[in-house]
Each structure stands twice: as structure tokens, then as C-alpha cells.
């Protein structure tokens, strides 16, 4: 079993190093193929571990990492039923993304560098989910942050890509300060950073301290999972290559925050008030992001907003104590969301990188396979039976109803209708709407066969993953707390019917608006509410005007007035005085004997005067 853990963890690192060696060389498809093989090998080892581990899991201490005084942190890993599920999810999605990228990035001159970054991203995420302590988790946490910066800004010559990468990096560093303080508090209170010892003692810790720890850890989760108000980076991250978007949104960075709350469930179970706050924020974000997706015309941003919304659903389940359901939705969401993004990449290539869905339309004939796969993913996202999203999303609504959190339930129920609407708004406009691209004499074509082949397993999983609900529950509740439902079967049936009904209505309304009526009227698009949503509630502008610009003004003042005119001027003055003094003193070393004798007499006189002065 130990060899399987090594393969699962270090195969992506080997792939990253291999591609890095050739990163400055000319692009070579072999680099992508070998990297994909390494990632597939890691995935195979993870799947094997999923089958062979028991409820006790497997532990591995690689080295004694930090050993100072009473602080002892081994570089250790744990493969239990939670981390194994995450490993398989990360592995399946990243394997598909790697294979897809061989065709997608084939014409990019930095092909080798891209695969090095991509594999390093997977390695960092595996460090995060496999670590058996908070310090190791934080190393992986920062690793995915660094890799996301490199991948979002992969085309760094574009100012927008560089800016988006910096935004994501800085916003996550702000949140990570909260998480780091939480980890410090954990060590101060528990005397260790090992999960096992911390979770065993969590119930005995003062509630106020535990609440502080829970809040600080969740601040870190808010940054990684782009929860309000640290959400703006997620849509801007679409500047990176599309396979990066698929990996970030489906299986790596943004799911890390949800994983943290799930993994730290013994802490959050003992602070239900904080859990309810997390659930409330999640419900708010679910509807908050869905409303932005309704009006956006950028292909990738619409899908990005849907990720933000679905993360809200996951946090609702985790906040209300249904940790296994949150994990279940994380897994099912990973498959259909990555499929949507990869399909969007195919559409982009067909449209010469144009992202405006209003410039598309009628693409079903040219991109039949892509269209079918994206429709499957959209049906799953909308939560229609029997696709994967139906099982996991409906379970979250059932949790809200079971907890008598009726406002949360109604919010999520409305979000389900909005999700169905914006998902099929995209489908109807892109594949069945009026083909506006014909006026530009474009010739859209299907993606490379390797890219389509990579998408097929995700399409299958988007259909069948939900049927493993009972097996999944029995498997992970060996580690995670069980969740007991107390509502009547008839109530559940009514809830399911209501959810399916509003989802079906959302799809029908999207069909009516974008196939029958060809979209909203100009009057609606020029309304205050429409513009308010289209401009992301003007939150980016608020951040720019009241945070970024004042900070920039302070920085410029500090640079021009304090640094240059005070600090630099003071240092330069001292340097000039020393230089001038040295220049004048240099005349004593002229080599002229008579001059040097005079200086000797002068020095002797000074010494005699000094001696006389001290005698007096």
C-alpha cells in the first residue's frame, strides 16, 4: 500500500519536473503525452487505494520535517476514505484535462511549460488533501495558489492575464493570513498540528476559542473558494487557458475551501452557530452568483459564475453538518463542471477565441459531439433526473428543509431555477440560436479527436455518478459524521417534485426567451437591474475606487515623498559626505615627503595637546 501512496503523490511531481526540463525547448507533443501518462498512473494508484483501504486508512511519515522545542511536525500523509475520494476526483479530472490539453495547446509555443505548471498544480492539490496535519495542508494550500498564479497568467504578455493572475494571488494571500492565524491558534491551544490529536480534543476546548479558530480557518476557505466578498478573482481567472479553468473550477483550487471545512468537521460540529453562518453565506452566494450568470455574455464567465453558485450549495451542506453530502456534491460537480469548461474550450477554438455568446449561434451542426456533451453537463448542472447533479443538489435542499432552515431552502430552490435557466440560455444561444458568425465568413469545426476522447469519461460520469449515492454515503461516513433525516417521505417527494418543477420551468423559459423570442428586449437590457447584474453589482468598481486606488495613492506618496525625498535623500547625503570627506582626505596620501612630514608634525601636536588636556 505504501508504494501506491508514493505513486499517487509523486507521479505528478515527476511529470512537472520532466516537463520543466524541456520548458525552454521547442514544443513537443511527447511532453504532453508523457505528462498525461504520469497523471493517469497517479489516478490509477488513487483508485486502487480507494478500493483497498479500510475504515482506519493508511498513514505514512515521509520525514521528520519540523522539530523545534515542543513543536514536532512530520512530513506525513493520511489516505483515509475522505482523502481517497478527493484523490480519485482530482486524478480523474486532471487526467482528462491533461489529455485534452495535448490537442488544445498544440499550437502554443510554451506547450512544455504549460504541462509543467499543470502537473505541479495537481501535485500541490494532492499534498493539500493527503496531509495529516495543518502545516502540510497549508503547504499544499499555498502551492495551489502559486500554480494558479502561474496558470491564470500563463499568457503573461497580455496585460489582462497578468492582472487577473495578480488579483487571484493577492486576494488569496489576504484570506490566507486569516487561515495562518487560525493554524497558530490551533497550535497555541492544542500543542500540535496533527489532525488526529486536534479532532480528538476539539470537544474539550472553550467554545469561544473554538469559534475563533473556526472563523479564521473559514476566512482562508472564503478566499480559495471565492466566497463573497472575496469572489471577484474567480471570474477574472478566465484569462487563463481553458483547461486551467476546468482544473481550477472542478477539482483543485476552489474546492480546497470546501474540503477544509469537511476535513475540520470535528471543529465545526462543536460550533453550530459558525456552521449556520457558513450555510447562510453559502446560500447567499448561490443566488448572488446565479443572478450574475443570467445576464453575462462571456462563455467562460457564465460557467465560472455557476461554479461560484454551486460552491455556495456545498457550503450550505457543510455548514448545516451534512459533511458527506457536501463532499458528494463536490465530486459530482467536478465531473459535469470540468466537462462544461472543456466543451467551452472547443467552442472557443471553433470561434477563433471569441467568447461572446451573442457572436455564436447555430453551432450544433458543426460541433455535434461537443454540443451533446455540453448538453449532458448542463442537464446535470440543472439537477434533472437521472443525471448526477439531481442526486447531490436535491440532497442539499433536503438538508435545509430537515434543519427547518426555510429561508435557506427557498433561496436554494430559487437558485435551482436560475441555474437551469442560465445553463440552457448558454446552450440555446450557442448551439441553436441564430448563426451570427456566418456574416463574418467563419468556418467552425469540431475539436481534435484527443480532446473529444478526454471528455467522454466525464460525460459518462456526469450521467451515472449520482447512482452511487448510497455506496458513497456508506463509504465516507466511516470517517465523516452520519447525517440523519427526520422529514417524512411524502415531504421529500414534494420537495423533489418542486425542485424538478422549477428546474424544468427554468429550461422551458430559457427556450421561450432565446429560441422563440430571441432574447430579452433592448428595454430590459437597458434597465437599471439588468445593468446592475451585468456589472457584477458594481463590486469590482467599488473595490477599484475605494480600495485599490486609495492604496495606490498611499503607495505613490510613500514612494515619491517618503522613500525618494526622505529615505533615499538621507542615505544619499550620508554617502556624499563620506565621499567628499574621503576625496579631501586623499590629499594626505600624495606621496610628497614634505607634505607628509607636515601632517606628522600636525598629528604629533594633536597628540601632545590631548595628553596635556587630560593631565589638567
Amino acid at each position: 500500500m505504501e508504494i501506491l501512496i508514493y505513486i499517487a503523490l509523486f507521479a505528478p511531481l515527476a511529470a512537472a519536473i520532466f516537463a520543466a526540463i524541456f520548458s525552454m525547448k521547442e514544443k513537443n507533443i511527447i511532453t504532453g503525452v508523457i505528462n498525461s501518462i504520469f497523471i493517469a498512473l497517479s489516478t490509477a494508484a488513487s483508485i486502487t487505494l480507494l478500493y483497498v483501504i479500510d475504515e482506519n486508512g493508511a498513514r505514512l511519515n515521509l520525514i521528520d520535517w519540523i522539530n523545534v522545542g515542543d513543536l514536532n511536525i512530520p512530513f506525513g500523509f493520511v489516505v483515509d476514505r475522505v482523502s481517497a475520494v478527493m484523490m480519485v476526483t482530482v486524478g480523474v479530472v486532471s487526467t482528462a484535462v491533461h489529455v485534452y490539453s495535448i490537442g488544445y495547446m498544440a499550437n502554443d509555443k510554451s506547450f512544455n511549460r504549460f504541462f509543467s505548471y499543470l502537473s505541479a498544480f495537481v501535485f500541490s492539490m494532492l499534498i493539500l488533501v493527503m496531509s495529516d496535519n495543518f502545516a502540510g495542508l497549508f503547504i499544499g494550500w499555498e502551492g495551489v495558489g502559486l500554480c494558479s498564479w502561474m496558470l491564470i497568467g500563463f499568457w503573461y504578455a497580455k496585460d489582462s492575464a497578468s492582472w487577473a493572475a495578480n488579483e487571484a494571488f493577492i486576494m488569496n494571500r489576504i484570506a490566507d493570513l486569516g487561515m495562518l492565524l487560525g493554524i497558530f491558534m490551533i497550535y497555541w491551544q492544542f500543542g500540535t498540528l496533527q489532525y488526529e490529536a486536534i479532532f480528538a480534543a476539539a470537544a474539550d476546548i472553550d467554545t469561544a476559542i473554538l469559534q475563533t479558530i473556526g472563523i479564521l480557518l473559514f476566512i482562508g476557505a472564503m478566499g480559495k473558494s471565492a466566497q463573497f466578498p472575496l469572489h471577484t478573482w474567480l471570474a477574472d481567472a478566465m484569462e487563463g487557458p481553458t483547461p486551467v479553468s476546468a482544473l481550477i473550477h472542478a477539482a483543485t483550487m476552489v474546492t480546497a475551501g470546501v474540503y477544509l471545512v469537511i476535513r475540520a468537521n470535528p471543529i465545526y460540529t462543536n460550533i453550530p452557530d459558525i456552521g449556520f453562518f457558513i450555510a447562510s453565506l453559502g446560500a447567499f452566494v448561490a443566488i448572488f452568483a446565479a443572478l450574475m450568470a443570467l445576464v453575462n455574455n462571456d462563455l467562460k464567465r457564465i460557467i465560472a459564475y455557476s461554479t461560484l453558485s454551486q460552491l455556495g450549495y456545498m457550503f450550505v451542506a457543510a455548514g448545516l453538518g451534512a459533511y458527506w453530502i457536501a463532499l458528494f456534491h463536490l465530486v459530482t460537480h467536478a465531473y459535469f463542471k470540468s466537462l462544461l469548461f472543456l466543451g467551452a474550450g472547443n467552442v472557443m477554438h471553433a470561434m477563433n477565441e471569441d467568447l461572446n455568446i451573442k457572436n455564436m449561434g447555430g453551432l450544433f451542426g458543426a460541433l455535434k459531439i461537443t454540443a451533446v456533451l455540453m448538453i449532458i453537463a448542463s442537464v446535470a448542472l440543472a439537477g434533472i433526473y437521472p443525471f448526477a447533479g439531481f442526486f447531490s443538489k436535491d440532497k442539499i435542499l433536503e438538508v435545509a428543509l430537515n434543519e427547518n432552515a426555510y429561508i435557506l431552502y427557498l433561496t436554494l430552490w430559487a437558485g435551482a431555477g436560475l441555474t437551469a435557466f442560465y445553463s440552457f440560455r448558454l446552450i440555446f444561444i450557442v448551439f441553436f440560436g441564430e448563426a451570427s458568425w456566418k456574416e463574418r465568413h467563419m468556418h467552425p469545426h469540431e475539436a481534435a479527436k484527443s480532446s473529444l476522447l478526454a471528455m467522454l469519461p466525464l460525460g459518462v460520469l456526469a450521467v451515472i455518478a449520482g447512482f452511487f449515492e448510497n455506496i458513497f454515503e456508506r463509504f465516507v461516513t466511516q470517517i465523516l459524521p452520519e447525517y440523519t433525516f427526520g422529514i417524512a417521505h411524502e415531504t421529500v417527494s414534494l420537495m423533489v417534485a418542486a425542485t424538478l418543477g422549477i428546474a424544468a420551468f427554468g429550461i422551458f423559459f430559457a427556450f421561450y426567451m432565446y429560441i422563440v423570442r430571441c432574447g430579452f428586449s433592448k428595454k430590459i437590457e437597458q434597465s437599471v437591474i439588468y445593468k446592475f447584474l451585468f456589472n457584477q453589482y458594481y463590486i469590482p468598481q467599488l473595490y477599484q475606487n475605494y480600495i485599490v486606488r486609495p492604496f495606490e495613492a498611499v503607495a505613490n506618496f510613500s514612494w515619491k515623498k517618503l522613500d525618494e525625498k526622505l529615505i533615499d535623500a538621507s542615505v544619499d547625503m550620508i554617502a556624499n559626505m563620506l565621499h567628499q570627506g574621503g576625496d579631501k582626505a586623499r590629499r594626505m596620501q600624495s606621496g610628497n615627503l614634505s607634505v607628509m612630514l607636515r601632517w606628522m608634525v600636525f598629528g604629533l601636536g594633536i597628540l601632545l595637546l590631548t595628553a596635556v588636556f587630560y593631565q589638567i
Side-chain angles (χ1 to χ4, degrees), residues 81-82 85 322-325 327-328 395 398 465-485:
R81 294 189 170 186
V82 173
V85 166
Y323 300 103
W324 78 263
I325 295 173
L327 183 61
F328 186 46
K395 214 69 180 174
E398 189 177 340
F467 290 105
F468 295 93
E469 176 188 332
N470 293 330
I471 297 173
F472 185 91
E473 180 184 4
R474 288 195 299 271
F475 185 78
V476 299
T477 50
Q478 297 291 331
I479 304 295
L480 299 176
E482 295 184 8
Y483 185 83
T484 304
F485 288 97

Side-chain angles (χ1 to χ4, degrees), residues 234-257:
L234 191 64
D236 293 333
M238 297 302 97
E239 290 290 339
T242 301
V244 173
S245 302
L247 200 55
I248 288 177
H249 286 247
T252 52
M253 186 165 173
V254 299
T255 60

Side-chain angles (χ1 to χ4, degrees), residues 192-467:
T192 181
L193 294 178
Q194 297 295 118
Y195 292 153
E196 191 172 8
I198 293 166
F199 298 155
D204 300 324
I205 303 299
D206 181 74
T207 302
I209 293 174
L210 213 58
Q211 286 177 334
T212 305
I213 291 171
I215 290 169
L216 290 171
L217 291 179
F218 183 63
I219 289 172
M222 286 170 65
K224 275 290 182 287
S225 295
Q227 296 297 282
F228 177 86
L230 303 175
H231 66 282
T232 55
W233 70 266
L234 191 64
D236 293 333
M238 297 302 97
E239 290 290 339
T242 301
V244 173
S245 302
L247 200 55
I248 288 177
H249 286 247
T252 52
M253 186 165 173
V254 299
T255 60
V258 180
Y259 173 78
L260 173 62
V261 176
I262 294 170
R263 174 57 77 184
N265 71 85
I267 292 175
Y268 287 101
T269 299
N270 288 286
I271 46 174
D273 291 344
I274 303 301
F276 188 76
F277 168 77
I278 291 172
S280 300
L281 181 63
F284 168 76
V285 170
I287 200 89
F288 171 84
L291 288 170
M292 289 190 287
L294 292 181
V295 300
N296 204 281
N297 296 321
D298 186 296
L299 177 65
K300 288 174 66 177
R301 282 177 179 262
I302 294 170
I303 305 173
Y305 289 134
S306 79
T307 299
L308 187 54
S309 181
Q310 296 306 304
L311 287 167
Y313 279 83
M314 297 175 207
F315 277 117
V316 170
L320 294 178
Y323 300 103
W324 78 263
I325 295 173
L327 183 61
F328 186 46
H329 192 50
L330 187 157
V331 172
T332 60
H333 172 265
Y335 301 135
F336 57 74
K337 184 51 57 69
S338 55
L339 183 60
L340 270 176
F341 268 113
L342 297 183
N346 294 350
V347 174
M348 284 174 61
H349 266 356
M351 290 284 98
N352 295 331
E353 307 306 314
D354 188 355
L355 286 167
N356 191 335
I357 59 175
K358 288 190 173 182
N359 295 333
M360 301 177 190
L363 290 175
F364 185 85
L367 286 80
K368 286 187 176 65
I369 299 175
T370 296
V372 170
L373 290 171
M374 288 189 72
I375 290 169
I376 289 172
S378 297
V379 173
L381 176 59
I384 302 298
Y385 183 85
F387 293 79
F390 165 81
F391 295 90
S392 55
K393 187 189 290 185
D394 270 39
K395 214 69 180 174
I396 296 172
L397 271 75
E398 189 177 340
V399 169
L401 201 61
N402 189 63
E403 295 293 326
N404 298 321
Y406 299 117
I407 294 176
L408 299 188
Y409 169 76
L410 290 173
T411 302
L412 298 179
W413 178 77
L418 295 175
T419 300
F421 177 81
Y422 68 66
S423 298
F424 278 87
R425 170 181 177 262
L426 185 152
I427 294 295
F428 290 140
I429 292 176
V430 171
F431 295 109
F432 302 103
E434 184 180 349
S436 58
W437 49 268
K438 290 183 178 180
E439 300 172 0
R440 291 171 286 156
H441 305 290
M442 299 178 69
H443 302 283
H445 54 84
E446 190 59 273
K449 290 182 180 179
S450 61
S451 296
L452 294 173
L453 184 64
M455 295 169 66
L456 288 177
L458 298 175
V460 173
L461 288 167
V463 176
I464 68 170
F467 290 105

Side-chain angles (χ1 to χ4, degrees), residues 491-507:
T491 305
V492 174
S493 299
L494 285 173
M495 185 214 72
V496 171
T499 307
L500 283 173
I502 196 165
F505 175 77
I507 295 171

Side-chain angles (χ1 to χ4, degrees), residues 79-192:
V79 180
D80 57 21
R81 294 189 170 186
V82 173
S83 57
V85 166
M86 286 295 297
M87 289 164 64
V88 170
T89 304
V90 171
V92 169
V93 173
S94 59
T95 301
V97 169
H98 272 72
V99 175
Y100 177 91
S101 298
I102 295 172
Y104 188 88
M105 300 295 291
N107 296 321
D108 196 291
K109 63 180 181 180
S110 298
F111 181 89
N112 299 343
R113 178 168 61 90
F114 176 81
F115 274 92
S116 178
Y117 292 171
L118 204 64
S119 298
F121 202 1
V122 178
F123 171 67
S124 297
M125 188 64 187
L126 290 173
I127 289 283
L128 191 157
V129 301
M130 294 174 67
S131 290
D132 66 354
N133 62 81
F134 279 101
L137 179 142
F138 191 72
I139 295 298
W141 193 272
E142 294 303 296
V144 295
L146 173 62
C147 292
S148 69
W149 176 75
M150 294 189 294
L151 287 165
I152 294 168
F154 181 75
W155 292 314
Y156 55 82
K158 289 171 56 182
D159 289 340
S160 57
S162 181
W163 189 91
N166 290 335
E167 180 191 20
F169 190 79
I170 293 168
M171 194 165 284
N172 274 274
R173 298 292 74 70
I174 293 168
D176 290 353
L177 175 61
M179 182 179 176
L180 196 57
L181 291 173
I183 292 174
F184 288 157
M185 281 201 70
I186 287 172
Y187 179 70
W188 169 65
Q189 191 63 37
F190 293 90
T192 181

